[in-house]
Amino acid sequence: MSEYTLMKGNEVIAEAAIRCGCDAYFGYPITPQSEILETLEMRRPWLETGMVVLQAESELAAINMVYGGASCGKRVMTSSSSPGISLKQEGITYIAGAELPCLIVDVMRGGPGLGTIQPSQSDYFQAVKGGGHGDYHMIVLAPASVQDMHDFVFLGFELAFKYRTPVMMLCDGVIGQMMEKVKLADYTPRMSNEEIAAKYGDWATTGKPKTRKRNIVTSLELDSGRQEKFNEKLQAKYREIEKNETRWEEFQTDDAEYILVAYGSSSRICQKAVELARAEGIKVGLIRPITLYPYPTAAIQKHLGHVKGMMSIEMSAGQMVEDVRLAVNGKVPVEHFGRMGGMIPSPNEVVDALKRFMKQ
């Protein structure tokens, strides 16, 4: 039976991993996501569900352990924070190139470099545009609450296996460290090799039975013609994901003359900013992308006939704003407002930035 409890965002990711039937977690501690690994170690799920929890010797080791586990058709995941995700990029592009499902959690901190341990949203480019080499994408989910942190673990694994692709939860440190009431799902049994093959296809390296040919998992192809055909297959898959899996929320957009676009904790700040602005007679709404890839371009475009401008609100120097501008395609002005280095904007700062934008 489902239950309600009070949990921190990082902690609930660990709890959701256990409850969704995750087979293994491989990670390495780094602030501000270390509670994911610590919670799993304290919960000792190997005694409860058989889930493997291993602190690897490095981020590089952790992502390659994910590669190995995913090759066997297992539900495997890792988590890190911004510098650690940078180290994992080679493994992530290999996983994408091998068409393997897995869940990757990034609880963002300020950069560049080692930066600060405070919250940020400056990993957008790295996650959405493909931080590793090659023409690949990950599905990128952006939670805005502790409940989302829980629910997106289940959703992430489902999408990863449906499309045989890595899925990233792009969280900021605010949501990771925030404590809220959350509804925990019932336990889902771990899936057997036979169940995974029946539901998602018989592609994993589980040992060759007499009923099928060998399954080979690799991202290496030395023939450029075959590599191009494979890339065309990947691009077709990404178009299918864009068609079927784009998610977003809207807040008071029907009569809006201006629209804020924000994800994660910035979207929560913007909800309050919308309330404050409307109390002053400013007709403003909010679009919150839930999937950063695929991006909700159509959701933005449908409002272009009645808005005077759009504003991207981010805890960064401006990264998502590029996708807002691509969606708008020059039809209305687009501006950016953000704080950097771990600083969090207030609703009043957002309203003030909107008023400056309106005067331009």
Side-chain angles (χ1 to χ4, degrees), residues 44-95:
R44 305 174 75 187
W46 50 90
L47 301 177
E48 185 176 358
T49 68
M51 177 183 175
V52 173
V53 178
L54 179 63
Q55 177 178 321
E57 63 267 33
S58 68
E59 287 89 353
L60 297 177
I63 194 63
N64 282 288
M65 290 175 183
V66 169
Y67 190 168
S71 299
C72 300
K74 299 299 183 182
R75 292 190 170 198
V76 292
M77 65 177 291
T78 188
S79 66
S80 192
S81 186
S82 308
I85 294 294
S86 297
L87 291 168
K88 294 177 190 281
Q89 288 299 330
E90 181 184 48
I92 291 172
T93 185
Y94 284 1
I95 291 168

Side-chain angles (χ1 to χ4, degrees), residues 5 7 30 41 61 161 181 223 243 248 261 275 295 304:
T5 188
M7 294 188 77
I30 180 174
E41 289 174 337
F161 274 83
K181 183 179 77 171
D223 184 283
K243 178 181 177 182
W248 72 93
V261 185
E275 294 174 4
Y295 197 73
L304 295 179

Side-chain angles (χ1 to χ4, degrees), residues 72-74 191-202 204 206-207 209:
C72 300
K74 299 299 183 182
M191 298 180 72
S192 67
N193 292 338
E194 292 74 22
E195 290 171 327
I196 289 174
K199 185 173 182 179
Y200 300 110
D202 190 12
T206 56

Side-chain angles (χ1 to χ4, degrees), residues 89 123-131 136-141 168 170 263 291-295 319-320 323:
Q89 288 299 330
D123 293 3
Y124 183 91
F125 284 157
Q126 181 170 238
V128 174
K129 305 304 181 184
Y136 79 94
H137 285 286
M138 295 181 286
I139 296 174
V140 182
L141 303 171
M168 176 174 282
L170 191 65
Y263 70 95
T291 52
L292 301 179
Y293 179 82
Y295 197 73
Q319 297 188 12
M320 184 182 69
D323 283 330

Side-chain angles (χ1 to χ4, degrees), residues 11 66 69 96 124 127 132 180 272 316 319 337:
E11 295 170 348
V66 169
Y124 183 91
E180 290 183 320
K272 183 61 178 178
S316 75
Q319 297 188 12
F337 174 72

Side-chain angles (χ1 to χ4, degrees), residues 116-321:
T116 176
I117 63 173
Q118 304 305 320
S120 179
Q121 292 182 322
S122 54
D123 293 3
Y124 183 91
F125 284 157
Q126 181 170 238
V128 174
K129 305 304 181 184
H133 59 281
D135 291 318
Y136 79 94
H137 285 286
M138 295 181 286
I139 296 174
V140 182
L141 303 171
S145 68
V146 176
Q147 188 67 58
D148 284 348
M149 296 282 258
H150 170 278
D151 296 346
F152 288 1
V153 173
F154 288 79
L155 175 61
F157 273 121
E158 180 59 35
L159 294 175
F161 274 83
K162 180 178 180 180
Y163 295 101
R164 282 182 60 190
T165 186
V167 173
M168 176 174 282
M169 284 175 55
L170 191 65
C171 325
D172 55 73
V174 174
I175 307 298
Q177 296 296 321
M178 179 184 295
M179 183 172 283
E180 290 183 320
K181 183 179 77 171
V182 61
K183 182 180 181 181
L184 299 176
D186 295 333
Y187 286 86
T188 300
R190 291 166 58 210
M191 298 180 72
S192 67
N193 292 338
E194 292 74 22
E195 290 171 327
I196 289 174
K199 185 173 182 179
Y200 300 110
D202 190 12
W203 48 264
T205 55
T206 56
K208 179 184 173 301
K210 295 180 180 179
T211 54
R212 65 161 171 82
K213 62 180 182 181
R214 289 189 304 162
N215 286 338
I216 299 174
V217 174
T218 182
S219 64
L220 175 66
E221 175 55 73
L222 298 179
D223 184 283
S224 57
R226 287 198 295 263
Q227 182 65 26
E228 183 179 46
K229 291 295 184 184
F230 174 72
N231 271 279
E232 290 171 352
K233 173 189 171 186
L234 281 185
Q235 298 309 311
K237 177 169 69 174
Y238 299 145
R239 300 296 84 79
E240 182 182 1
I241 291 171
E242 291 167 0
K243 178 181 177 182
N244 298 327
E245 306 301 343
T246 307
R247 291 168 166 82
W248 72 93
E249 288 182 344
E250 298 189 29
F251 182 64
Q252 297 195 33
T253 56
D254 289 343
D255 66 340
E257 295 180 351
Y258 292 87
I259 288 181
L260 307 178
V261 185
Y263 70 95
S265 62
S266 292
S267 68
R268 295 172 65 128
I269 294 166
C270 285
Q271 282 196 29
K272 183 61 178 178
V274 168
E275 294 174 4
L276 294 174
R278 283 191 171 261
E280 297 184 29
I282 302 171
K283 292 183 177 180
V284 60
L286 168 67
I287 293 176
R288 173 210 162 195
I290 296 173
T291 52
L292 301 179
Y293 179 82
Y295 197 73
T297 299
I300 291 173
Q301 290 176 339
K302 73 178 182 180
H303 294 289
L304 295 179
H306 66 87
V307 299
K308 298 177 180 179
M310 295 197 177
M311 195 169 203
S312 180
I313 311 299
E314 309 169 57
M315 291 190 292
S316 75
Q319 297 188 12
M320 184 182 69
V321 66

